[in-house]
Amino acid sequence: MAGLDWGRVEAVLFDLDGTLLDTIPDLAAAANATLAEIGRATVPVETVASYVGKGIPVLVKRLLTGSLDPDAEVDEAELEAVLPVFRRHYGRENGRRARFYDQVEPAVARLAGMGLPMGCVTNKAGDFTEPLLSLTGLRPYFGVVVSGDTLAEKKPHPLPVRHAAAQLGVAVERALLVGDSVNDVLSARAAGCPVVCVPYGYNEGADVRGLDCDAIVANLMEVAEAIARARSALSLNTD
């Protein structure tokens, strides 16, 4: 993490699924309930995990095609018919089995204690993001929440990151994005802000060590501690 100037970080933006919360059990339950309702074979939880990352429409398309290939052919009429079925099931399952990853709760509490503005930038639809954040008690920590349908674009486009930083009143280059996938890295890079990744998330089944992130942290407490150390060092240097 030596290459990342933690002392320049004035706000932290978090991805949601795969970074703050393990939501795969909820998504898998909704996915398999959907497949069963339309007469399709259910799939393993691990398969659903590999399909997550680009929002519900892409997840449902992958369920129907059984492929991560963005060019995989899908019956558009069927996709449009199945999307509300999935949303209905996910609305029921959202938050029922989701769990915090290790050190998430103490880490965000420590960052809040430092007075650091925080935001959540996710590709999850707002109808599911807000209830999930409220249910888990995370919502009060975030000065801004950007969901997949908040703006005209979602990650990997830079707009969500730029918008979140602006809403927090921080220059985008002084915001840090913490995520678990290529979508987070591409969005941050395009927006011009640093990005670190956690290794325990989804990333569509790929290893985050192959991503162009500034650092890989074992958990979010490493982020909080690195910022705290940098702030302490800056304080000592200015005394």
Side-chain angles (χ1 to χ4, degrees):
M1 295 193 288
L4 179 58
D5 187 352
W6 294 95
R8 286 176 53 83
V9 176
E10 295 179 359
V12 182
L13 307 175
F14 294 102
D15 172 55
L16 180 52
D17 300 68
T19 300
L20 295 170
L21 297 169
D22 180 7
T23 56
I24 288 299
D26 293 340
L27 289 162
N32 281 321
T34 299
L35 291 170
E37 181 170 328
I38 65 174
R40 298 281 193 101
T42 58
V43 295
V45 172
E46 294 77 17
T47 299
V48 177
S50 72
Y51 289 169
V52 171
K54 288 186 168 66
I56 286 175
V58 172
L59 169 60
V60 173
K61 177 184 177 181
R62 289 169 171 175
L63 288 170
L64 294 176
T65 62
S67 172
L68 287 168
D69 184 352
D71 297 321
E73 292 188 8
V74 65
D75 184 321
E76 293 296 337
E78 182 183 27
L79 177 59
E80 289 304 310
V82 175
L83 277 170
V85 177
F86 178 86
R87 290 191 175 102
R88 170 164 47 83
H89 285 297
Y90 189 47
R92 184 187 66 248
E93 302 295 343
N94 187 27
R96 293 181 66 181
R97 303 170 185 80
R99 64 174 182 84
F100 286 103
Y101 287 108
D102 183 44
Q103 298 297 308
V104 166
E105 292 173 284
V108 295
R110 183 167 185 187
L111 289 168
M114 285 188 267
L116 208 68
M118 289 180 282
C120 180
V121 182
T122 176
N123 280 349
K124 186 188 290 294
D127 285 348
F128 305 113
T129 300
E130 291 288 351
L132 182 59
L133 291 176
S134 296
L135 182 66
T136 56
L138 286 171
R139 185 61 182 89
Y141 288 109
F142 301 130
V144 61
V145 173
V146 182
S147 299
D149 51 2
T150 300
L151 305 168
E153 303 286 351
K154 58 178 177 285
K155 296 179 298 184
H157 197 278
L159 181 60
V161 172
R162 289 174 178 163
H163 177 79
Q167 290 296 302
L168 294 176
V170 174
V172 70
E173 63 269 17
R174 289 186 174 272
L176 171 69
L177 180 63
V178 182
D180 71 313
S181 76
V182 63
N183 297 313
D184 299 310
V185 173
L186 291 175
S187 183
R189 286 285 177 252
C193 81
V195 55
V196 301
C197 290
V198 294
Y200 50 70
Y202 310 143
N203 194 34
E204 301 175 27
D207 192 329
V208 295
R209 286 175 292 187
L211 299 179
D212 179 31
C213 55
D214 293 295
I216 295 175
V217 294
N219 55 61
L220 299 192
M221 187 56 78
E222 288 193 8
V223 173
E225 290 176 347
I227 294 173
R229 285 195 300 269
R231 287 189 161 200
S232 177
L234 286 172
S235 177
L236 289 173
N237 290 334
T238 56
D239 285 344

